[in-house]
């Protein structure tokens, strides 16, 4: 299957700082990228869906000013957690779908473990 | 969850046995997909079934879809210890891909 690289895999930051997570599709053009948040032993909660070159569509209850998503190219999307607080600590996962695969088959990054202290 | 329910939430079986997991969904779907997740990792796509299909096979995997009941099942035959993971069904509707609660499968050697 296609490869999606997510970076960093782990990050620890101080409360009040911002953290950027990158998601890259390495061997295909991702027209759609999804960002999820996962708490321990729970399912993935969709945060937002982004299409290349357009604004992300956020799920109900997700603060767009807190979780900034940029999908500036067909191979890169970023999620920035602004003014992070301990309650933002979680596992964040991106996935990408695109040309040649049909958006319905999504490929996932390895996830980012964010700890806010 | 953003989607529906999956059952069982946890399943523990012996190697060689079959494992059946079910999920229900809420909306009209384009297709339904099953993924597995090893602890602390991303998801790996297993199999996709389209809304106009009723059954699909891939190796030791068998997926069924009942659109009248808005439910799907995943059967893993002749399970192996390496099948131990969490399994999620992903519902694609419109431009969204959402997941159910998942089933934690443990296959004991």
């Amino acid at each position: 299957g296609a490869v999606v690289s997510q970076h960093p895999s782990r990050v620890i930051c101080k409360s009040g700082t911002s953290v950027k997570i990158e998601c890259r599709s390495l061997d295909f053009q991702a027209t759609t990228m999804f960002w999820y948040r996962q708490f321990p032993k729970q399912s993935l909660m969709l945060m937002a869906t982004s299409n290349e070159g357009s604004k992300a569509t956020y799920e109900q209850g997700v603060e767009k000013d807190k979780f900034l998503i940029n999908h500036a190219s067909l191979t890169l999307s970023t999620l920035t957690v602004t003014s992070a607080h301990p309650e933002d600590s979680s596992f964040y996962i991106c996935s990408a779908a695109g040309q040649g695969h049909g958006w319905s088959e999504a490929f996932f990054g390895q996830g980012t473990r964010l700890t806010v202290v | 969850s953003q989607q529906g329910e999956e059952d069982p939430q946890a399943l523990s079986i012996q190697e060689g046995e079959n494992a059946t997991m079910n999920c229900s969904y809420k909306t009209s779907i384009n297709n339904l997909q099953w993924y597995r997740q090893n602890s602390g990792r991303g998801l790996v796509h297993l199999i996709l079934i389209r809304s106009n299909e009723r059954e699909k096979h891939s190796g030791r995997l068998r997926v069924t879809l009942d659109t009248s009941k808005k439910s799907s099942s995943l059967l893993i035959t002749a399970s192996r210890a390496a099948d131990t993971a969490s399994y999620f069904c992903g519902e694609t509707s419109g431009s969204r891909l959402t997941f159910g609660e998942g089933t934690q499968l443990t296959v004991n050697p």
Side-chain angles (χ1 to χ4, degrees), chain A residues 68-91:
Chain A
L68 301 178
I69 291 171
N70 183 283
H71 190 169
S73 76
L74 285 171
T75 59
L76 174 65
S77 177
T78 60
L79 166 67
T80 301
V81 182
T82 62
S83 187
H85 291 285
E87 57 265 31
D88 298 325
S89 298
S90 191
F91 191 57

Side-chain angles (χ1 to χ4, degrees), chain A residues 11-39:
Chain A
V11 59
I12 300 173
C13 71
K14 291 185 178 181
S15 188
T17 61
S18 295
V19 174
K20 180 184 284 189
I21 302 169
E22 291 188 349
C23 182
R24 294 181 184 273
S25 57
L26 299 185
D27 52 2
F28 71 104
Q29 294 184 322
T31 52
T32 304
M33 284 191 171
F34 306 93
W35 285 95
Y36 298 88
R37 183 175 181 176
Q38 186 179 34
F39 290 105

Side-chain angles (χ1 to χ4, degrees), chain B:
Chain B
S1 73
Q2 289 171 310
Q3 185 189 298
E5 301 295 320
E6 287 187 56
D7 74 271
Q9 291 189 337
L11 179 62
S12 181
I13 59 174
Q14 294 301 122
E15 207 164 25
E17 295 179 339
N18 296 340
T20 300
M21 291 161 271
N22 305 292
C23 86
S24 61
Y25 57 91
K26 295 177 179 176
T27 65
S28 297
I29 58 171
N30 302 116
N31 58 61
L32 193 132
Q33 308 170 52
W34 285 88
Y35 291 82
R36 67 172 279 168
Q37 182 184 34
N38 287 72
S39 181
R41 307 296 294 274
L43 274 65
V44 174
H45 184 266
L46 295 176
I47 191 168
L48 178 153
I49 186 165
R50 301 190 188 283
S51 58
N52 60 354
E53 297 176 312
R54 292 298 168 258
E55 187 171 313
K56 202 162 184 180
H57 298 253
S58 176
R60 293 185 296 114
L61 306 179
R62 172 177 167 256
V63 169
T64 63
L65 179 66
D66 186 336
T67 53
S68 66
K69 296 180 180 178
K70 293 188 173 179
S71 67
S72 174
S73 69
L74 170 68
L75 168 68
I76 303 175
T77 61
S79 64
R80 307 166 182 168
D83 294 329
T84 295
S86 292
Y87 291 82
F88 297 93
C89 66
E91 167 187 351
T92 57
S93 178
S95 60
R96 299 168 75 238
L97 172 58
T98 56
F99 292 90
E101 294 296 325
T103 295
Q104 171 61 51
L105 174 65
T106 302
V107 182
N108 302 298

